[in-house]
Amino acid sequence: MSKTPKRKKNKVLKIVKKNHIWVTIALCLIIAIVSDTFIAIFSSTIGTFVFNSKIGDEYDAVSYMAQMYEFSSEDDDSIFDFLNKDGRSYFITDNHGKVIYQNGENTMGTTSGTFVLPITSEGEVKVKVYLDNITEGLFVPDEDGELVFSTGSIFTYAFRVWEQTNLQVGSKKTSVDLPLWIAIDVKDGRQTFYAKTGYRMSFSDVAFLLIFILLALLLVGCIIVLLLVNMFSTLIYQRNMSKVFFTDPITRGHNWMWFSVRGEQLLKKRRSAAVSYAVLDLVFVKYRNYCVCHSVVEGEEMLYKVDRILNESIGKKEMAAHYASANFALLLKFKDREELKARIQQIINKLETIGKDHKFTFHVGVYVVENIKDAKGRAVKRKDIDIEREYNNACTARSTLEDSDESAIAFFDENLLEEQKWIDIVMEHRRSAIENEEYLIYYQPKYDPKTNKLRGVEALIRWNSPELGFKSPGTFIPILEKNGFIQDIDHYMITHVARAQKAWLDAGYECVPASVNVSRAHFIEDDLAEQIRDAVDAEGCPRNLLEIELTESAFFDDKKALIDTILKLKEYGFMVSMDDFGSGYSSLNSLKDMPLDILKLDAEFFRGDINGGRGEIVISKAISLAKSLNMLTVAEGVEFKEQVDFLAEKGCDMIQGYFFAKPMLGEEYADKMNRKEGFEDSKEEKAKVEETEEEKPEEQAILTEN
Ligand code: C2E
Ligand code: CA
Ligand code: CA
């Protein structure tokens, strides 16, 4: 799988989480409260200002009366004559709450209680005076006639006016006189002067107040509505965003983004120690083939079906999503591995039959997310979960099934991770290893078993990495082959072997053909034969000194292209051999069609005892078959004298094996070749040959290697 970039995921999460609903609601509330308070303060200030401006003159008059009383002497009654002239009702209380004067009459300290105060021409209002609490200010009588301290609560007052005076739209009255009492502390607070005053409120005043209140309410309402609209649109936006980000365009179900976000949350939560989770990678094998044979639309319809079945097969707190291409990601709960395996198998069984006339194949890789338990055996929260890594591991497990044509399940284990790391290292170094000439060429001679004479040699690669050490081809060649980078190696080998052959030739060695392995992956190139020809010619090496070895597996590929390339190679003067004959199943069939020069019997023939066994019959028949097809035979992996004798007797042409020689560096191999007369002691020539070779690694390394 290609890794989903974490940055992309975080970005999506940010967008989806942006304007989180709770933040939006809190913001709405704060703005509503602030705007409400602001409007209340503002309108109250305006109201008070209007009210005070209306009542200001009356207050001044009462204040003047209070001042006059303040400055009069205790025993001067003429002050009451002066106060009575004003014509308004007034009374004075002492600091015990007793009324001492009422409208100029000395009441001699009447106790607090209910006073009947004439306030309008239409009736009387009973006033209860609770003198203990009174402070200087404006008093208004409420519905029960109680004097209520009222410092500018204009709205309450306006409503009371409305209620008390029947001043209504449509009534004939256009104004009403409102009773108001003004209280002023006098004589250093020992007495309080109360005077009645009136406030004439007109219909237009009330209307103004009401309109003002309504406008204020409307404004607040508008702000709240706007905030609500914003909140809901944010919610809808969020929902739509989540839908876009979390929906797969092909399956119309959930996508990888959804899986990785929600799956990680699910895995990080604490859960029962008895329940484990597994991350799965399920792949629809040969999906591309299906699309090619049918159509992409039909292929996608199959993916849709797979997604539907997967979603039908999962339970609560389990997940399934389309990853990409033919891959699906699953998160399954389980208690026991066998039970999990059986369940996956059931899902596969269902999936295999989604095509009417097709039985499909599915590969599943499983990564078990281990529970971490505390001392008491309870599962602890796993903060270290990285679902991309877990899914990657499931993919690694699944990739081990790549060669299987049947549906299969593979569980991940740590060794796989090591393998995966090694694959990454090889891929990472593939170019620098060529550029820095870290690949060494080893030569393994092929001998004639009858004469013990050198008749050929095979060039074999080794990787001498300064960083990683000495590596045999089995550790890196299959990786490069699988990932499509073997062409570079093949080209490197052909060039270097041709160069070495030319140098040896020039140095007077009696060169024998050197075979180079050319990977099957290389045979898809139309001009492979031309590439080889040009590379060899460029080095000035005679073409008959180079032989191309094809592994048997190459013969499974495009037969026609293969035959064409072989024919061209032969036409250009190269020899072509079939490597590893007998290690597969269709060798005979391949021989029928391929015009090859040499047959290399696979080393497997010579493992164990061949004498007297069926193996002996097979080997001798293979040799005679090759002879009748005009092919030479090479026996590989021969380690014992008896094997050599047997092969010599059966007419095998060459033997390549440890019995004669292990693969060795060019310098050592050169010593095995004969030299033409006159060349033996030419030191300069030998040095020239050495120059073409790699730095010789430690002898120990070679021994370990083989
Ligand atoms: P191969 O082409 O079948 O090479 C023969 C392998 O058998 C060599 O292993 C050789 O060292 C080993 N061998 C030879 N005689 C004996 C014997 O008597 N006993 C035992 N046990 N082994 C013997 P090596 O060099 O490790 O190569 C392994 C494979 O790697 C080769 O198998 C070939 O498929 C691949 N390979 C090696 N070099 C190249 C190369 O330059 N290009 C490509 N494409 N593949 C290469
Ligand atoms: Ca070979
Ligand atoms: Ca071989």
Side-chain angles (χ1 to χ4, degrees):
M1 78 178 254
S2 66
K3 278 189 181 171
T4 309
K6 249 206 155 63
R7 241 189 296 144
K8 189 180 163 198
K9 181 175 152 187
N10 290 341
K11 205 171 152 192
V12 170
L13 268 181
K14 250 191 203 164
I15 295 171
V16 175
K17 280 184 178 168
K18 200 178 144 194
N19 300 327
H20 194 284
I21 182 69
W22 294 113
V23 178
T24 314
I25 290 173
L27 216 70
C28 278
L29 283 176
I30 291 169
I31 294 176
I33 290 168
V34 168
S35 59
D36 244 356
T37 317
F38 175 76
I39 285 170
I41 293 171
F42 179 73
S43 53
S44 180
T45 313
I46 297 253
T48 307
F49 172 75
V50 172
F51 186 76
N52 285 345
S53 67
K54 290 233 172 200
I55 211 83
D57 291 346
E58 285 294 292
Y59 185 85
D60 288 348
V62 172
S63 173
Y64 178 66
M65 283 167 76
Q67 265 178 28
M68 294 312 284
Y69 175 72
E70 171 100 328
F71 296 123
S72 67
S73 64
E74 296 276 324
D75 40 330
D76 180 10
D77 281 354
S78 65
I79 181 67
F80 294 113
D81 294 337
F82 172 76
L83 294 177
N84 287 344
K85 267 190 208 152
D86 190 80
R88 73 179 74 225
S89 300
Y90 66 92
F91 63 92
I92 299 157
T93 61
D94 65 10
N95 55 354
H96 302 296
K98 293 174 180 170
V99 176
I100 48 176
Y101 291 101
Q102 185 172 358
N103 292 340
E105 278 176 36
N106 191 337
T107 55
M108 305 300 285
T110 312
T111 48
S112 63
T114 305
F115 294 86
V116 178
L117 300 169
I119 54 168
T120 63
S121 54
E122 288 156 3
E124 291 171 344
V125 173
K126 279 182 183 170
V127 178
K128 280 179 196 162
V129 185
Y130 297 98
L131 297 158
D132 289 349
N133 300 325
I134 286 175
T135 341
E136 184 171 11
L138 178 71
F139 290 83
V140 293
D142 67 7
E143 304 92 330
D144 303 323
E146 284 182 38
L147 279 182
V148 179
F149 186 55
S150 171
T151 48
S153 175
I154 189 70
F155 296 116
T156 343
Y157 191 66
F159 273 116
R160 200 167 300 142
V161 169
W162 185 269
E163 279 166 16
Q164 285 185 10
T165 58
N166 292 329
L167 182 67
Q168 285 166 2
V169 181
S171 81
K172 283 181 185 151
K173 271 187 179 174
T174 55
S175 69
V176 66
D177 288 323
L178 290 168
L180 289 169
W181 288 81
I182 290 171
I184 295 171
D185 281 347
V186 288
K187 313 270 185 196
D188 298 328
R190 283 178 285 110
Q191 293 177 8
T192 308
F193 184 89
Y194 291 85
K196 186 189 163 226
T197 176
Y199 169 44
R200 171 157 295 191
M201 185 167 254
S202 66
F203 178 78
S204 60
D205 287 343
V206 176
F208 169 77
L209 275 174
L210 289 178
I211 288 171
F212 186 82
I213 292 165
L214 278 176
L215 280 177
L217 287 174
L218 207 71
L219 197 65
V220 173
C222 280
I223 290 174
I224 291 177
V225 166
L226 277 177
L227 287 171
L228 284 176
V229 167
N230 174 273
M231 193 174 89
F232 284 113
S233 65
T234 307
L235 269 179
I236 293 167
Y237 167 82
Q238 252 177 271
R239 270 189 69 116
N240 290 346
M241 275 316 226
S242 314
K243 232 181 170 172
V244 168
F245 281 121
F246 291 152
T247 303
D248 186 82
I250 296 170
T251 63
R252 287 154 272 166
H254 286 122
N255 64 3
W256 168 254
M257 197 54 79
W258 174 82
F259 186 89
S260 65
V261 172
R262 300 273 192 269
E264 201 160 294
Q265 286 166 354
L266 195 67
L267 287 177
K268 277 183 176 165
K269 275 186 195 154
R270 183 201 289 274
R271 51 182 184 270
S272 153
V275 177
S276 294
Y277 269 99
V279 178
L280 278 68
D281 170 48
L282 179 141
V283 68
F284 181 162
V285 181
K286 302 224 166 87
Y287 167 67
R288 294 253 162 260
N289 282 9
Y290 184 82
C291 288
V292 171
C293 296
H294 296 78
S295 68
V296 175
V297 176
E298 281 179 70
E300 290 184 346
E301 197 50 37
M302 286 301 146
L303 293 182
Y304 168 77
K305 282 187 185 173
V306 172
D307 188 75
R308 222 183 46 202
I309 290 178
L310 291 179
N311 277 289
E312 282 166 10
S313 310
I314 58 171
K316 245 177 116 183
K317 292 196 175 168
E318 292 188 324
M319 300 170 70
H322 182 213
Y323 172 72
S325 183
N327 294 62
F328 289 83
L330 287 119
L331 192 62
L332 298 184
K333 277 188 296 190
F334 71 99
K335 286 189 177 162
D336 167 82
R337 276 196 190 215
E338 284 311 308
E339 167 227 328
L340 173 69
K341 209 169 165 183
R343 200 175 149 209
I344 299 171
Q345 192 54 54
Q346 271 178 5
I347 296 175
I348 292 177
N349 293 347
K350 273 194 224 166
L351 293 174
E352 279 180 335
T353 53
I354 51 170
K356 279 186 204 106
D357 43 350
H358 246 89
K359 189 184 175 217
F360 293 119
T361 308
F362 291 86
H363 288 166
V364 181
V366 186
Y367 176 77
V368 172
V369 183
E370 297 293 348
N371 274 338
I372 299 179
K373 294 175 191 166
D374 62 13
K376 289 180 183 161
R378 290 173 308 198
V380 290
K381 274 188 183 179
R382 287 204 56 175
K383 290 187 184 138
D384 59 329
I385 293 288
D386 175 352
I387 197 140
E388 277 164 31
R389 184 190 59 212
E390 328 299 25
Y391 180 65
N392 227 345
N393 289 344
C395 289
T396 305
R398 195 259 310 140
S399 67
T400 60
L401 303 170
E402 259 160 24
D403 297 330
S404 159
D405 291 332
E406 296 292 318
S407 291
I409 304 164
F411 279 74
F412 176 85
D413 74 69
E414 288 302 321
N415 293 338
L416 281 177
L417 207 59
E418 289 306 312
E419 279 173 33
Q420 191 62 44
K421 277 186 196 155
W422 175 244
I423 291 173
D424 290 347
I425 291 174
V426 170
M427 294 303 285
E428 199 184 304
H429 287 76
R430 63 176 198 271
R431 285 209 174 90
S432 59
I434 287 182
E435 279 161 18
N436 306 332
E437 306 230 322
E438 288 169 16
Y439 293 125
L440 304 183
I441 302 170
Y442 273 57
Y443 295 88
Q444 187 176 30
K446 300 169 191 169
Y447 288 96
D448 185 325
K450 282 198 181 111
T451 61
N452 284 354
K453 271 193 174 169
L454 182 72
R455 281 195 64 183
V457 66
E458 178 174 6
L460 296 157
I461 196 167
R462 269 98 185 90
W463 180 18
N464 188 26
S465 161
E467 236 176 278
L468 309 158
F470 198 79
K471 301 285 168 198
S472 61
T475 62
F476 62 92
I477 290 288
I479 295 172
L480 295 172
E481 269 183 340
K482 207 168 178 179
N483 294 285
F485 289 96
I486 198 69
Q487 282 94 326
D488 299 342
I489 297 279
D490 289 349
H491 184 78
Y492 179 96
M493 290 296 283
I494 287 165
T495 313
H496 283 72
V497 171
R499 193 174 299 160
Q501 288 280 67
K502 166 78 171 118
W504 285 320
L505 209 57
D506 291 349
Y509 288 98
E510 285 178 5
C511 289
V512 289
S515 61
V516 176
N517 294 281
V518 175
S519 168
R520 61 188 286 196
H522 212 146
F523 273 79
I524 47 168
E525 288 181 19
D526 290 345
D527 61 343
L528 175 67
E530 286 73 19
Q531 283 181 33
I532 294 174
R533 178 197 63 194
D534 296 345
V536 172
D537 289 354
E539 298 299 332
C541 169
R543 294 178 191 171
N544 62 357
L545 285 186
L546 219 92
E547 178 188 322
I548 304 299
E549 286 193 20
L550 296 174
T551 50
E552 201 205 338
S553 56
F555 299 88
F556 284 112
D557 290 333
D558 185 346
K559 224 176 196 171
K560 191 178 170 309
L562 191 64
I563 295 173
D564 284 352
T565 306
I566 294 170
L567 285 173
K568 277 199 268 178
L569 284 168
K570 288 182 61 151
E571 187 194 322
Y572 296 145
F574 299 104
M575 281 201 287
V576 186
S577 53
M578 181 194 270
D579 201 359
D580 301 341
F581 177 77
S583 66
Y585 298 101
S586 63
S587 316
L588 286 173
N589 205 23
S590 310
L591 277 184
K592 179 169 70 80
D593 308 306
M594 308 286 164
L596 299 157
D597 303 296
I598 297 164
L599 192 69
K600 293 189 79 178
L601 300 176
D602 192 68
E604 271 312 303
F605 282 121
F606 309 101
R607 300 284 89 89
D609 185 16
I610 58 163
N611 283 332
R614 294 163 69 91
E616 209 175 53
I617 303 167
V618 175
I619 294 165
S620 59
K621 291 290 172 202
I623 295 169
S624 56
L625 174 71
K627 282 200 188 306
S628 51
L629 288 170
N630 275 335
M631 292 168 84
L632 295 174
T633 42
V634 177
E636 278 191 296
V638 176
E639 295 183 357
F640 305 105
K641 169 100 176 65
E642 307 81 67
Q643 294 171 334
V644 178
D645 294 343
F646 168 78
L647 288 163
E649 187 202 322
K650 295 296 167 192
C652 178
D653 300 290
M654 282 169 264
I655 286 180
Q656 178 189 347
Y658 290 177
F659 177 77
F660 282 107
K662 286 187 173 181
M664 59 195 81
L665 277 169
E667 186 192 338
E668 196 183 330
Y669 164 66
D671 287 341
K672 312 253 178 232
M673 279 186 274
N674 291 326
R675 293 187 100 182
K676 288 172 197 150
E677 270 177 39
F679 277 95
E680 280 83 358
D681 297 310
S682 168
K683 291 221 162 92
E684 292 122 52
E685 288 300 331
K686 190 165 183 186
K688 201 171 146 197
V689 173
E690 278 168 16
E691 265 171 34
T692 67
E693 297 307 319
E694 310 306 321
E695 198 180 308
K696 188 174 178 177
E698 293 299 314
E699 199 64 37
Q700 196 53 42
I702 307 166
L703 290 172
T704 322
E705 159 60 20
N706 290 297

